[in-house]
Amino acid sequence: MKISVIGTGYVGLVSGACFAQMGNSVVCVDVDAQKIANLNQGIIPIYEPGLEEMVIENSHKKTLTFTVDSEYAIKRAKIIFIAVGTPMGEDGSANLQYVFDVAQNIGCYLEDYTIIVDKSTVPVGTASKVQEIIQNELNIRNLSIPFDVVSNPEFLKEGVAIDDFMHPDRVVIGAENQKAIDIMHELYSPFMTKNDRFISMDIKSAEMTKYAANAMLATKISFMNEIANICERVGADVNKVRHGIGSDSRIGYGFIYPGCGYGGSCFPKDVQALIKTAKDSHYTARILEAVEYVNHEQKFVLVQKIIKKFGDNLEGLTFAIWGLSFKPETDDMREASSLVIIKELVKRGANVIAYDPKARHEAENIYLKNYLHVSYVDSKYDALKNADALVLVTEWQEFRSPDFEEMKKLL
């Protein structure tokens, strides 16, 4: 099929590459000319295992191309995926301006029956607004062109996104037209040859499914962090408790690892957006509010432990940080706990030496660009030299079995 993906961020790039891998003809569009130029040279803007190889392979096969020409991309496609960002507004709501701008563009250039797919995570009711915007543009052009707007939320986990897309545990499609459902089923069938995990529903339910899924996972994380805090105070071992409850098939082991709070591009934004959606519908989502509050406080737990050990004045002290990304196997630092921890340490006069296998560039050039008391090294052991303490933030595999004798010498 001829597919166009508008937006070459995390979701758009992974989706485009994986559709191309299955033999579809895919064009990815972005307004960022430099990013498109880099992609055409095989330079990938994000780290995701297996993505670079897949993009380069399909670019060589000409099944995957990149352009800034949205008119061309819209006119040639049978299916158009909207995969632009929906950043969080000050009130917690999702900013849909980029989605609506794309919808307007589609309305300007649409020539034949096309399925427009909301791949971006958007609040309930967004598809209706997208449909209205496209229809308004067609009315201005005095054209009657049939089209369908479909919701197809993504459930990709950073670090294993390629595998998630190529072997999905479910494909959720929200549509009001059986023709659109059938075409989307045809598109995704090659990804489900062993077991058909295609789930169709109405559009609003599909839009809600993504938020509900992320909110549930965030709830498990905050719940386990709360249990960890209680365990610490009463003398219980949270890891033993985790094994004890995880063995219950109704609970399972997924997302019950205690840590310093969730981050990334999805959970923080989606939980807050769902809270805002509830408020707009005159309902107070108390569980979600608690999940958000616990997560916010959890990001300060390691800082509080450091203050308890060294006092509130950290001048003259150096702290080694292992891990900057919000989770392993990604360079994504959006809403990362490391940012809160580092800023709190620096605020109290500390020096920080940080190491991360992939996220150094993000920290050094974007998130901690002007922090003079933060320096970076290329080895986890280099970070320990003469440091007063090690703060282990992100559970990269290389941190699981370190040389403790070497650590003892260096710290």
Side-chain angles (χ1 to χ4, degrees), residues 224-242:
M224 204 62 207
N225 282 333
E226 190 139 85
I227 294 298
N229 294 334
I230 296 171
C231 283
E232 190 169 332
R233 285 160 175 78
V234 302
D237 185 334
V238 69
N239 279 313
K240 292 177 181 176
V241 173
R242 177 176 61 80

PDB file of all heavy atoms in Angstrom, residues 224-242:
ATOM      1  N   MET A 224       3.801   0.541  43.420  1.00  0.00           N
ATOM      2  CA  MET A 224       4.953  -0.211  43.906  1.00  0.00           C
ATOM      3  C   MET A 224       5.955   0.705  44.586  1.00  0.00           C
ATOM      4  O   MET A 224       6.604   0.312  45.568  1.00  0.00           O
ATOM      5  CB  MET A 224       5.618  -0.962  42.753  1.00  0.00           C
ATOM      6  CG  MET A 224       6.398  -2.171  43.216  1.00  0.00           C
ATOM      7  SD  MET A 224       5.313  -3.381  44.001  1.00  0.00           S
ATOM      8  CE  MET A 224       6.478  -4.197  45.099  1.00  0.00           C
ATOM      9  N   ASN A 225       6.113   1.924  44.097  1.00  0.00           N
ATOM     10  CA  ASN A 225       7.003   2.871  44.762  1.00  0.00           C
ATOM     11  C   ASN A 225       6.469   3.233  46.145  1.00  0.00           C
ATOM     12  O   ASN A 225       7.245   3.410  47.093  1.00  0.00           O
ATOM     13  CB  ASN A 225       7.182   4.125  43.906  1.00  0.00           C
ATOM     14  CG  ASN A 225       8.158   3.906  42.764  1.00  0.00           C
ATOM     15  OD1 ASN A 225       9.048   3.068  42.861  1.00  0.00           O
ATOM     16  ND2 ASN A 225       7.987   4.651  41.680  1.00  0.00           N
ATOM     17  N   GLU A 226       5.179   3.338  46.265  1.00  0.00           N
ATOM     18  CA  GLU A 226       4.589   3.614  47.578  1.00  0.00           C
ATOM     19  C   GLU A 226       4.814   2.440  48.533  1.00  0.00           C
ATOM     20  O   GLU A 226       5.148   2.626  49.703  1.00  0.00           O
ATOM     21  CB  GLU A 226       3.096   3.904  47.434  1.00  0.00           C
ATOM     22  CG  GLU A 226       2.453   4.436  48.704  1.00  0.00           C
ATOM     23  CD  GLU A 226       1.472   5.564  48.426  1.00  0.00           C
ATOM     24  OE1 GLU A 226       0.304   5.246  48.124  1.00  0.00           O
ATOM     25  OE2 GLU A 226       1.878   6.737  48.505  1.00  0.00           O
ATOM     26  N   ILE A 227       4.636   1.220  48.019  1.00  0.00           N
ATOM     27  CA  ILE A 227       4.910   0.033  48.826  1.00  0.00           C
ATOM     28  C   ILE A 227       6.378   0.015  49.255  1.00  0.00           C
ATOM     29  O   ILE A 227       6.714  -0.329  50.398  1.00  0.00           O
ATOM     30  CB  ILE A 227       4.555  -1.248  48.049  1.00  0.00           C
ATOM     31  CG1 ILE A 227       3.042  -1.342  47.803  1.00  0.00           C
ATOM     32  CG2 ILE A 227       5.052  -2.490  48.785  1.00  0.00           C
ATOM     33  CD1 ILE A 227       2.206  -1.424  49.065  1.00  0.00           C
ATOM     34  N   ALA A 228       7.284   0.382  48.342  1.00  0.00           N
ATOM     35  CA  ALA A 228       8.712   0.426  48.668  1.00  0.00           C
ATOM     36  C   ALA A 228       8.994   1.400  49.801  1.00  0.00           C
ATOM     37  O   ALA A 228       9.784   1.108  50.714  1.00  0.00           O
ATOM     38  CB  ALA A 228       9.516   0.816  47.427  1.00  0.00           C
ATOM     39  N   ASN A 229       8.350   2.553  49.756  1.00  0.00           N
ATOM     40  CA  ASN A 229       8.549   3.552  50.808  1.00  0.00           C
ATOM     41  C   ASN A 229       8.043   3.057  52.158  1.00  0.00           C
ATOM     42  O   ASN A 229       8.654   3.320  53.204  1.00  0.00           O
ATOM     43  CB  ASN A 229       7.848   4.857  50.420  1.00  0.00           C
ATOM     44  CG  ASN A 229       8.486   5.505  49.200  1.00  0.00           C
ATOM     45  OD1 ASN A 229       9.665   5.294  48.918  1.00  0.00           O
ATOM     46  ND2 ASN A 229       7.716   6.291  48.464  1.00  0.00           N
ATOM     47  N   ILE A 230       6.933   2.330  52.132  1.00  0.00           N
ATOM     48  CA  ILE A 230       6.403   1.771  53.374  1.00  0.00           C
ATOM     49  C   ILE A 230       7.330   0.661  53.884  1.00  0.00           C
ATOM     50  O   ILE A 230       7.643   0.589  55.079  1.00  0.00           O
ATOM     51  CB  ILE A 230       4.970   1.225  53.160  1.00  0.00           C
ATOM     52  CG1 ILE A 230       4.022   2.371  52.785  1.00  0.00           C
ATOM     53  CG2 ILE A 230       4.465   0.528  54.429  1.00  0.00           C
ATOM     54  CD1 ILE A 230       2.638   1.900  52.344  1.00  0.00           C
ATOM     55  N   CYS A 231       7.776  -0.208  52.962  1.00  0.00           N
ATOM     56  CA  CYS A 231       8.689  -1.299  53.337  1.00  0.00           C
ATOM     57  C   CYS A 231       9.934  -0.758  54.026  1.00  0.00           C
ATOM     58  O   CYS A 231      10.404  -1.307  55.035  1.00  0.00           O
ATOM     59  CB  CYS A 231       9.094  -2.097  52.101  1.00  0.00           C
ATOM     60  SG  CYS A 231       7.836  -3.234  51.491  1.00  0.00           S
ATOM     61  N   GLU A 232      10.478   0.308  53.477  1.00  0.00           N
ATOM     62  CA  GLU A 232      11.698   0.881  54.034  1.00  0.00           C
ATOM     63  C   GLU A 232      11.488   1.347  55.473  1.00  0.00           C
ATOM     64  O   GLU A 232      12.386   1.228  56.317  1.00  0.00           O
ATOM     65  CB  GLU A 232      12.155   2.051  53.160  1.00  0.00           C
ATOM     66  CG  GLU A 232      13.532   2.568  53.514  1.00  0.00           C
ATOM     67  CD  GLU A 232      14.069   3.541  52.481  1.00  0.00           C
ATOM     68  OE1 GLU A 232      13.673   3.423  51.313  1.00  0.00           O
ATOM     69  OE2 GLU A 232      14.880   4.399  52.849  1.00  0.00           O
ATOM     70  N   ARG A 233      10.302   1.832  55.746  1.00  0.00           N
ATOM     71  CA  ARG A 233      10.014   2.359  57.083  1.00  0.00           C
ATOM     72  C   ARG A 233       9.690   1.274  58.104  1.00  0.00           C
ATOM     73  O   ARG A 233       9.886   1.479  59.302  1.00  0.00           O
ATOM     74  CB  ARG A 233       8.870   3.380  56.979  1.00  0.00           C
ATOM     75  CG  ARG A 233       9.330   4.713  56.377  1.00  0.00           C
ATOM     76  CD  ARG A 233       8.173   5.527  55.816  1.00  0.00           C
ATOM     77  NE  ARG A 233       8.622   6.846  55.353  1.00  0.00           N
ATOM     78  CZ  ARG A 233       9.251   7.075  54.201  1.00  0.00           C
ATOM     79  NH1 ARG A 233       9.515   6.053  53.396  1.00  0.00           N
ATOM     80  NH2 ARG A 233       9.616   8.301  53.860  1.00  0.00           N
ATOM     81  N   VAL A 234       9.184   0.148  57.636  1.00  0.00           N
ATOM     82  CA  VAL A 234       8.806  -0.909  58.583  1.00  0.00           C
ATOM     83  C   VAL A 234       9.820  -2.054  58.622  1.00  0.00           C
ATOM     84  O   VAL A 234       9.663  -3.004  59.397  1.00  0.00           O
ATOM     85  CB  VAL A 234       7.398  -1.485  58.271  1.00  0.00           C
ATOM     86  CG1 VAL A 234       6.357  -0.380  58.317  1.00  0.00           C
ATOM     87  CG2 VAL A 234       7.376  -2.192  56.908  1.00  0.00           C
ATOM     88  N   GLY A 235      10.858  -1.978  57.784  1.00  0.00           N
ATOM     89  CA  GLY A 235      11.901  -2.987  57.800  1.00  0.00           C
ATOM     90  C   GLY A 235      11.669  -4.172  56.896  1.00  0.00           C
ATOM     91  O   GLY A 235      12.341  -5.207  57.034  1.00  0.00           O
ATOM     92  N   ALA A 236      10.754  -4.078  55.965  1.00  0.00           N
ATOM     93  CA  ALA A 236      10.500  -5.166  55.007  1.00  0.00           C
ATOM     94  C   ALA A 236      11.371  -4.974  53.767  1.00  0.00           C
ATOM     95  O   ALA A 236      11.833  -3.864  53.477  1.00  0.00           O
ATOM     96  CB  ALA A 236       9.031  -5.200  54.622  1.00  0.00           C
ATOM     97  N   ASP A 237      11.605  -6.056  53.019  1.00  0.00           N
ATOM     98  CA  ASP A 237      12.398  -6.029  51.785  1.00  0.00           C
ATOM     99  C   ASP A 237      11.437  -5.963  50.602  1.00  0.00           C
ATOM    100  O   ASP A 237      10.744  -6.930  50.295  1.00  0.00           O
ATOM    101  CB  ASP A 237      13.266  -7.287  51.706  1.00  0.00           C
ATOM    102  CG  ASP A 237      14.207  -7.265  50.495  1.00  0.00           C
ATOM    103  OD1 ASP A 237      13.885  -6.594  49.497  1.00  0.00           O
ATOM    104  OD2 ASP A 237      15.246  -7.943  50.543  1.00  0.00           O
ATOM    105  N   VAL A 238      11.411  -4.835  49.919  1.00  0.00           N
ATOM    106  CA  VAL A 238      10.440  -4.631  48.851  1.00  0.00           C
ATOM    107  C   VAL A 238      10.638  -5.617  47.706  1.00  0.00           C
ATOM    108  O   VAL A 238       9.662  -6.004  47.036  1.00  0.00           O
ATOM    109  CB  VAL A 238      10.462  -3.179  48.339  1.00  0.00           C
ATOM    110  CG1 VAL A 238      11.764  -2.875  47.597  1.00  0.00           C
ATOM    111  CG2 VAL A 238       9.266  -2.907  47.431  1.00  0.00           C
ATOM    112  N   ASN A 239      11.873  -6.047  47.462  1.00  0.00           N
ATOM    113  CA  ASN A 239      12.091  -6.997  46.371  1.00  0.00           C
ATOM    114  C   ASN A 239      11.484  -8.362  46.685  1.00  0.00           C
ATOM    115  O   ASN A 239      10.974  -9.049  45.800  1.00  0.00           O
ATOM    116  CB  ASN A 239      13.577  -7.123  46.061  1.00  0.00           C
ATOM    117  CG  ASN A 239      14.073  -5.987  45.190  1.00  0.00           C
ATOM    118  OD1 ASN A 239      13.445  -5.658  44.185  1.00  0.00           O
ATOM    119  ND2 ASN A 239      15.163  -5.358  45.587  1.00  0.00           N
ATOM    120  N   LYS A 240      11.536  -8.751  47.958  1.00  0.00           N
ATOM    121  CA  LYS A 240      10.877  -9.993  48.353  1.00  0.00           C
ATOM    122  C   LYS A 240       9.360  -9.848  48.272  1.00  0.00           C
ATOM    123  O   LYS A 240       8.653 -10.772  47.860  1.00  0.00           O
ATOM    124  CB  LYS A 240      11.315 -10.396  49.756  1.00  0.00           C
ATOM    125  CG  LYS A 240      12.782 -10.801  49.817  1.00  0.00           C
ATOM    126  CD  LYS A 240      13.234 -11.120  51.223  1.00  0.00           C
ATOM    127  CE  LYS A 240      14.722 -11.501  51.237  1.00  0.00           C
ATOM    128  NZ  LYS A 240      15.225 -11.737  52.609  1.00  0.00           N
ATOM    129  N   VAL A 241       8.872  -8.679  48.642  1.00  0.00           N
ATOM    130  CA  VAL A 241       7.433  -8.403  48.525  1.00  0.00           C
ATOM    131  C   VAL A 241       7.016  -8.448  47.055  1.00  0.00           C
ATOM    132  O   VAL A 241       5.966  -9.002  46.702  1.00  0.00           O
ATOM    133  CB  VAL A 241       7.081  -7.038  49.149  1.00  0.00           C
ATOM    134  CG1 VAL A 241       5.625  -6.670  48.873  1.00  0.00           C
ATOM    135  CG2 VAL A 241       7.358  -7.046  50.646  1.00  0.00           C
ATOM    136  N   ARG A 242       7.860  -7.883  46.196  1.00  0.00           N
ATOM    137  CA  ARG A 242       7.567  -7.875  44.757  1.00  0.00           C
ATOM    138  C   ARG A 242       7.443  -9.294  44.216  1.00  0.00           C
ATOM    139  O   ARG A 242       6.524  -9.603  43.455  1.00  0.00           O
ATOM    140  CB  ARG A 242       8.674  -7.115  44.011  1.00  0.00           C
ATOM    141  CG  ARG A 242       8.516  -7.093  42.500  1.00  0.00           C
ATOM    142  CD  ARG A 242       9.581  -6.238  41.852  1.00  0.00           C
ATOM    143  NE  ARG A 242      10.916  -6.723  42.123  1.00  0.00           N
ATOM    144  CZ  ARG A 242      11.494  -7.730  41.472  1.00  0.00           C
ATOM    145  NH1 ARG A 242      10.836  -8.358  40.503  1.00  0.00           N
ATOM    146  NH2 ARG A 242      12.723  -8.111  41.778  1.00  0.00           N
TER     147      ARG A 242
END
